């Protein structure tokens, strides 16, 4: 059975691991640009790719993160690697691990309405 993007798709920003679900049934009116306003391309940090399925988005986010880390390693940017790994700790060590992606895939096969909740570390408040 073919997968179609009728109800939502999933965005993955360039060099990021966060999966952003986007509803395609949201018919909000876009804000109008003032006349003479310049339209510009998205900056490098705002570029993203859209995927039809959550599993595909998870797999591509993982592949993109690993490729970015490899690129940083090739460039010898050790501090940037450490910063990236700290900033994306939950995704790299929990959400994008292949075993957990397969769990989500299995849950979606059983229940197509399954709502994936990414794992996040909850920080304790100091006393």
């Amino acid at each position: 059975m073919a997968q179609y993007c009728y109800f939502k798709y999933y965005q993955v920003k360039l060099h990021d691991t966060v999966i952003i679900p986007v509803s395609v049934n949201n018919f909000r009116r876009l804000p109008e640009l003032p006349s003479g306003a310049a339209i510009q391309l998205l900056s490098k940090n705002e570029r993203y790719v859209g995927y039809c399925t959550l599993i595909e988005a998870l797999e591509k986010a993982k592949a993109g993160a690993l490729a970015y880390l490899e690129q940083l390693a090739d460039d010898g940017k050790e501090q940037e690697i450490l910063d990236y790994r700290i900033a994306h700790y939950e995704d790299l060590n929990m959400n994008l691990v292949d075993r957990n992606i397969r769990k989500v895939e299995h849950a979606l096969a059983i229940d197509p309405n399954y709502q994936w909740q990414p794992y996040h570390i909850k920080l304790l408040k100091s006393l």
Side-chain angles (χ1 to χ4, degrees):
M1 185 166 102
Q3 295 284 334
Y4 298 102
C5 296
Y6 287 133
F7 300 107
K8 72 169 75 169
Y9 71 98
Y10 302 89
Q11 287 182 355
V12 178
K13 289 186 179 180
L14 183 67
H15 305 312
D16 202 353
T17 57
V18 177
I19 310 297
I20 304 167
V22 178
S23 173
V24 296
N25 294 337
N26 186 355
F27 297 112
R28 290 182 294 158
R29 185 181 196 104
L30 293 175
E32 292 185 27
L33 293 173
S35 63
I39 298 175
Q40 64 185 35
L41 297 174
L42 293 174
S43 71
K44 189 174 184 178
N45 294 335
E46 295 175 343
R47 292 183 192 158
Y48 64 87
V49 178
Y51 298 101
C52 290
T53 66
L54 175 60
I55 300 304
E56 186 179 14
L58 290 168
E59 290 172 344
K60 297 297 184 176
K62 177 183 177 179
L66 294 176
Y68 184 59
L69 285 169
E70 187 175 320
Q71 175 187 345
L72 290 174
D74 289 345
D75 295 342
K77 298 180 178 179
E78 294 176 11
Q79 186 59 45
E80 286 86 348
I81 292 172
L82 181 62
D83 293 342
Y84 187 84
R85 289 189 60 86
I86 290 170
H88 300 278
Y89 181 83
E90 292 100 343
D91 288 328
L92 294 172
N93 294 298
M94 293 296 296
N95 298 326
L96 300 179
V97 174
D98 194 55
R99 176 176 47 103
N100 292 336
I101 294 174
R102 297 293 79 82
K103 283 182 183 179
V104 173
E105 185 175 37
H106 179 69
L108 284 168
I110 293 171
D111 179 12
N113 296 319
Y114 172 77
Q115 295 296 314
W116 176 65
Q117 294 295 320
Y119 175 81
H120 292 291
I121 296 173
K122 294 182 174 116
L123 300 176
L124 298 174
K125 293 182 181 178
S126 60
L127 298 174

